Amino acid sequence: MSTTLAAGAELDFSLAQQLTVIALCALTAFIAHMALAVFNDGVRPFLLDFIQGRTTRSATTAVSFGLSAGFIFGLGAPMALSTGVLNPWLLFLPTDILGMLSPKKWLAPILGGAWGAVVVFGLNGANNIAHDLPVDFLTAMQQMSTPILFLFTLFPVLAITKQFGRKWGGIAGVLELALVVMTMKLWPNMFAGALAMAVGVLMLIGLAVSKDLRQRRADRAAGVVEEVGGDDPMASLFSASATRLRKYLPLFMLLGAGVCVLAQMHVFGGGEATSFLIAKGQYAEAAQVDFYRVFGFIPLIATTALASGAYGIAGFTLVYPIGYLMPNPFLAAAVGALVFAVEVLALSWIGKVLGRLPSVRDSSEHLRSAIGDTLQLAILFGSLMAANAMGGGLGILVVGGLYLLNEAMGRPVVRMAAAPAAVIVGGIVLNVLYWLDLFTPIKG
């Protein structure tokens, strides 16, 4: 399977795609303004104080900006420019900020729609300018695809090792390696990590469920009785939050329809690996990758939604893989709306189930941590490959030096976004050196 994109990824959208992006950005900003949902999982816990009037809109906006800016400019924009595919960090993190920033309800969708227009009309111009430079750092950034796609395959192995120890981790690692080699040999047109990830995630879930069932049998044998009822303040809070979200069910259904339609148009990828797969037209593999990510985020999104009264802009992110596979936008809209309706209505039940399956809940934490670890290494390694492609040793010196400087300064740019941001800054530096006749671009 080729992991190289065609040079010069285009960000040229049809009218329908432009209108969908603008409308969806307007809607997400409006929903963020009402504190009904945000995309940034780190912001959601802060919304309870805002909803209950214990903090101000400006203070909450400052939190949102502080937690999101690095991802927008360091990850969202570079990934979109290098793949030609939009992503949630570029679209939904800014609308989180703009929605919270807006002092009036009617202004929020205008600000959100304006951001959507900037993305669909302005990004392609920036893309064309960058590709015309003597040092084409955007094409060089496509070198990131191979490490991201292949290292991402290992996230179930890391999660199993962290939760169930070295023995099970070793078994999972050997099994995944064998499956990757077999896939490359027998099905060369298929994403090599697809089958390996499927088996790894199923293995993790199987181990977690098995551990929980054994524990419950042991508790029953020991005469431990599960307490039911009582005055649980968290249960009361969860119930109030679920009721608040159900009150706005039609709005959430509209949101689910919009996100699913955008995914169906194949100009949007829900994750780093997914963006490269969408760019290569491998929609089934992209759906598979984003489906596995769901298992790492359902417990986080469900518990933070029930605790704060604010949902996720993409819900449990199930609408991403479903959208990639839909044959037309009309069916995508209907299914997306239905999926969000089921998710919102099932929140309380999901919270109760997770309370009874602690190992499964822990598995989601380990999955998220493992996804972060694999992508962190893959993005850093891919960024250094991009630096080498655009500037050889000097490129590595500049990009690697900027990354290390960011670390030494206490990470003003979050680590995940620091390396892609360093590639863009490094590319600009190399172009300046070229114009000063101090650097000759690498050919080929």
Side-chain angles (χ1 to χ4, degrees), residues 100-140:
M100 289 305 304
L101 176 68
S102 174
K104 300 292 183 182
K105 188 182 292 187
W106 59 266
L107 183 59
I110 295 174
L111 293 176
W115 174 253
V118 168
V119 170
V120 294
F121 295 117
L123 214 55
N124 199 43
N127 185 60
N128 292 334
I129 292 170
H131 283 305
D132 289 337
L133 293 172
V135 180
D136 184 357
F137 53 86
L138 293 186
T139 297

Side-chain angles (χ1 to χ4, degrees), residues 7-41:
E10 287 295 320
L11 280 157
D12 196 12
F13 304 103
S14 69
L15 178 60
Q17 291 165 347
Q18 291 170 345
L19 293 176
T20 300
V21 171
I22 293 170
L24 186 57
C25 286
L27 176 63
T28 53
F30 178 72
I31 288 173
H33 172 85
M34 297 179 69
L36 287 173
V38 289
F39 180 76
N40 194 320
D41 295 319

